[in-house]
Amino acid sequence: MSLVTNPTSLKPEWARMPIRVDPAHADRKQVFEVQDGEETVTYRVDHRGAVVHRRLEMSGIPVAIALAPRSFKGIAARAMEDSNGEVTVTLEMHHENPKLSVPLLVACDLFDVAADWRSWSELFDLPMLMVESDGRVTALEETFGKLRTSEPASRRRSSHRGRRPRFLARRKPGGLGMRMMLEGDEIIARN
């Protein structure tokens, strides 16, 4: 099952220069600028999501768009090979609108890519995605084939599970915390 089909954006503009936003420093605001064609786009990433500063296409008005992690489809990885045979790998917070996707890593070596990919995915609780060569975006779990990685089914499911046991459900009169003692003489006269 393909999540998004966008064959027009096979290689993003920002993939030309190396970038690395460290997931270990997500508690701090990490700010970086990327040249997207003629426009300079500023990104700010932290544990609460991302803020994208760019200009509107038609009017040129500067805008800042705050994006929560749940507004992204997932953390997408794409590998691109140039004419010289060099492979460039990118990680991004993938959005339906390609102009709102946030780059996290552009690298030529493949050593730290997997660790960063998993770290960003766990930090934002987003699925790990792969961008295919034709532009289709698929979840990483779907590329495993018949192997499924999910939680095992619970074995003990009964209708009584959420109820209290009967001996705890019985009502008992509550104590006042003190005991009353009555003493005295009998008022009724008996002959």
Side-chain angles (χ1 to χ4, degrees):
M1 178 175 118
S2 176
L3 295 176
V4 177
T5 303
N6 191 3
T8 59
S9 63
L10 296 180
K11 183 169 184 177
E13 289 286 324
W14 45 263
R16 294 193 173 111
M17 55 184 261
I19 300 170
R20 183 169 189 268
V21 182
D22 193 0
H25 299 298
D27 55 340
R28 303 180 211 148
K29 293 178 181 166
Q30 301 179 63
V31 180
F32 59 98
E33 290 184 349
V34 172
Q35 196 68 26
D36 188 11
E38 300 169 1
E39 178 185 12
T40 300
V41 183
T42 305
Y43 297 96
R44 187 179 77 206
V45 180
D46 62 3
H47 67 280
R48 295 181 300 167
V51 178
V52 180
H53 295 272
R54 62 181 327 138
R55 293 189 174 274
L56 293 177
E57 290 181 28
M58 301 298 279
S59 61
I61 297 173
V63 293
I65 304 167
L67 299 166
R70 67 178 176 268
S71 64
F72 295 98
K73 295 293 180 191
I75 306 298
R78 77 174 83 206
M80 299 158 286
E81 187 174 2
D82 62 2
S83 59
N84 297 335
E86 293 182 20
V87 176
T88 303
V89 180
T90 65
L91 287 181
E92 62 185 83
M93 294 169 66
H94 188 76
H95 196 273
E96 286 178 348
N97 182 352
K99 293 207 176 258
L100 296 179
S101 291
V102 178
L104 299 171
L105 174 77
V106 177
C108 293
D109 59 345
L110 304 175
F111 296 112
D112 294 332
V113 174
D116 279 3
W117 193 10
R118 180 164 299 284
S119 296
W120 283 115
S121 177
E122 289 174 357
L123 176 71
F124 290 129
D125 196 25
L126 292 172
M128 297 169 72
L129 306 175
M130 291 185 62
V131 180
E132 304 292 337
S133 60
D134 60 353
R136 287 184 304 119
V137 179
T138 57
L140 185 64
E141 289 83 21
E142 294 175 11
T143 62
F144 291 149
K146 294 191 181 217
L147 174 69
R148 294 287 177 211
T149 57
S150 63
E151 295 295 321
S154 178
R155 293 181 183 189
R156 296 183 182 175
R157 285 276 188 216
S158 70
S159 61
H160 304 295
R161 187 172 178 208
R163 296 186 195 164
R164 294 178 66 184
R166 180 174 279 166
F167 76 94
L168 289 176
R170 273 190 250 136
R171 296 183 179 243
K172 299 173 190 163
L176 296 175
M178 62 180 152
R179 198 171 69 179
M180 188 180 296
M181 298 289 291
L182 298 175
E183 291 183 18
D185 295 330
E186 201 172 300
I187 300 176
I188 301 173
R190 294 186 189 183
N191 294 358

